Amino acid sequence: MNKRRALVTGGAGFVGSHLCDALLADGYSVVVADNLLTGRRSNLEHLRTDTRLEFVQQDVSEPFDFGPVDYVFHFASPASPVDYSAHGIPTLKVGSLGTFHSLDVARKYGAGFLLASTSECYGDPLEHPQKETYWGHVNPIGPRSVYDEAKRFAEAVTMAYLRYHQVNTHIVRIFNTYGPRMQINDGRVIPNFMRQAMRGEGLTIYGDGSQTRSFCYVSDEVEGILRLSRSDEHTPVNIGNPNEFTILECAQEVLAVTGSKSRLSHEPLPQDDPKQRRPDISKAKQLLGWEPKINLKTGLKMSLDYFRQAVGADKSSRT
Ligand code: NAD
Ligand code: UDP
């Protein structure tokens, strides 16, 4: 069998590092291109002695070429609202220029290509649950637009390389994914609640907590992504867990799993925060035979050791 080589942009991040594990297990050698803007070398520390994993510190918004590859997974981008607000222009650049450069590599080497897109393409959705056919309800000039519009543009570039250059492209719309290796201070709801619960601090509920999200454990997410990468499907596919929780319910789950006595504290709802989100996963089920297996309580339990260790090692008190 030929030795297959994959390029993972953003491979030192949360989802990207789990994808690297899965690709290595599948027999690929992997080159990671990551500028460490929001990722960490430590996410790949367990692979340091694996000679099939190569790390290159590279901003993929600049042109790059690390030699022939069979597959390009474009995962580089700040992903949490706190991170992409702090890095608005780099987020726009990696979604636009970074996507062009990653697609140029795939085109040059005749490689497959998969874009990590997002449920944020649906914005604050007026259709519920969200099907891939929904065009979305995005504020193009609001604070989330640096991310939402970058990803929508990235999808457009990807479809153009399919249509004009016949690159074998795929687009996954990832819904809220969680698990070990999330940065505990990136501001997303699960790391925030886990950290606050473990420290006995108030769990910060933004708004009245009635807004909803649907949380997918990372191993389920990566399995769906790999299946999509091997498929013939070129249009976007939702990969996420359709079990929907209000943020208040999510807080209760975290309190139950951690055994914490923390109280809830209310803070203002950020502008344009989507009020509801749940993937319709019929397309993934039908085309890929995929559906998630791990419910929120189980996934939180599977994440406990990681968050305990990360919270113990963290000296900051950023909330
Ligand atoms: P993350 O911040 O942990 O990982 C992103 C990685 O990209 C980091 O390692 C970062 O250093 C790297 N990066 C950012 N800009 C870069 C650049 N210009 N050049 C090279 N590397 C760069 O976030 P994540 O949660 O792992 O998200 C990974 C991908 O999945 C992102 O594209 C994100 O938009 C997408 N996604 C994630 C979720 C989720 O719930 N985790 C949901 C929807 C979409
Ligand atoms: N949220 C919250 N408290 C927090 C962090 C987030 O109530 O400490 C809410 C946030 O307003 C949003 C939801 O949890 O409604 C999910 O936020 P997150 O940043 O994880 O991801 P999003 O889905 O908004 O990109």
Side-chain angles (χ1 to χ4, degrees):
M1 196 177 84
N2 285 339
K3 204 175 150 217
R4 294 169 301 160
R5 185 168 185 249
L7 168 71
V8 181
T9 76
F14 159 53
V15 182
S17 64
H18 286 278
L19 176 64
C20 289
D21 289 339
L23 289 170
L24 290 167
D26 196 30
Y28 276 95
S29 63
V30 176
V31 54
V32 167
D34 197 304
N35 66 353
L36 301 180
L37 181 65
T38 57
R40 297 168 295 173
R41 280 307 307 263
S42 60
N43 285 338
L44 299 169
E45 182 58 35
H46 59 292
L47 301 171
R48 201 171 274 272
T49 57
D50 192 329
T51 53
R52 297 171 306 156
L53 191 280
E54 190 186 341
F55 176 83
V56 188
Q57 189 159 345
Q58 170 73 40
D59 180 349
V60 301
S61 298
E62 302 293 333
F64 63 95
D65 182 354
F66 306 121
V69 286
D70 302 288
Y71 219 105
V72 177
F73 293 86
H74 181 37
F75 277 62
S77 173
S80 87
V82 167
D83 284 341
Y84 63 68
S85 300
H87 305 291
I89 289 170
T91 301
L92 283 160
K93 284 189 175 170
V94 76
S96 53
L97 301 173
T99 303
F100 273 109
H101 297 321
S102 303
L103 278 159
D104 283 337
V105 169
R107 183 183 178 204
K108 177 172 178 183
Y109 294 113
F113 179 90
L114 185 139
L115 171 71
S117 187
T118 169
S119 52
E120 281 286 323
C121 287
Y122 303 119
D124 189 4
L126 303 178
E127 188 179 300
H128 192 74
Q130 291 78 52
K131 284 196 183 73
E132 290 87 347
T133 46
Y134 178 47
W135 289 357
H137 181 232
V138 170
N139 177 349
I141 56 166
R144 298 174 86 100
S145 64
V146 291
Y147 183 67
D148 301 10
E149 296 293 14
K151 290 290 186 180
R152 287 166 66 99
F153 183 77
E155 289 196 1
V157 182
T158 302
M159 291 306 293
Y161 271 59
L162 169 75
R163 292 191 180 109
Y164 296 103
H165 295 317
Q166 293 77 47
V167 177
N168 178 21
T169 61
H170 309 275
I171 299 174
V172 58
R173 289 193 181 141
I174 301 174
F175 282 65
N176 296 65
T177 298
Y178 69 99
R181 301 187 201 149
M182 293 188 96
Q183 295 182 78
I184 58 160
N185 290 321
D186 77 3
R188 287 188 268 198
V189 66
I190 297 228
N192 266 11
F193 285 177
M194 290 291 247
R195 190 188 69 247
Q196 291 158 345
M198 287 175 181
R199 288 187 175 153
E201 296 168 357
L203 271 53
T204 48
I205 308 286
Y206 300 161
D208 63 7
S210 64
Q211 71 272 31
T212 66
R213 294 293 186 274
S214 308
F215 299 99
C216 188
Y217 190 69
V218 63
S219 60
D220 280 335
E221 187 67 45
V222 167
E223 175 61 24
I225 288 168
L226 283 182
R227 288 192 190 205
L228 176 60
S229 73
R230 297 182 198 118
S231 78
D232 295 326
E233 182 57 34
H234 300 300
T235 61
V237 178
N238 292 337
I239 298 286
N241 191 315
N243 287 332
E244 184 179 4
F245 294 82
T246 66
I247 293 306
L248 280 174
E249 289 167 342
C250 173
Q252 296 304 339
E253 292 281 311
V254 170
L255 291 176
V257 164
T258 54
S260 169
K261 299 274 179 286
S262 282
R263 293 172 182 277
L264 306 183
S265 75
H266 285 268
E267 294 197 1
L269 189 67
Q271 187 191 331
D272 295 341
D273 196 290
K275 285 179 271 309
Q276 52 181 358
R277 182 181 293 156
R278 170 156 61 101
D280 180 318
I281 60 164
S282 341
K283 189 171 172 183
K285 272 189 186 164
Q286 193 200 330
L287 285 177
L288 313 175
W290 175 89
E291 62 183 314
K293 298 189 178 72
I294 298 170
N295 66 28
L296 181 58
K297 191 166 256 101
T298 307
L300 289 174
K301 284 184 188 159
M302 291 163 73
S303 310
L304 266 181
D305 284 352
Y306 164 76
F307 280 110
R308 284 223 172 86
Q309 173 273 324
V311 169
D314 180 70
K315 303 289 173 242
S316 75
S317 60
R318 189 175 108 175
T319 48

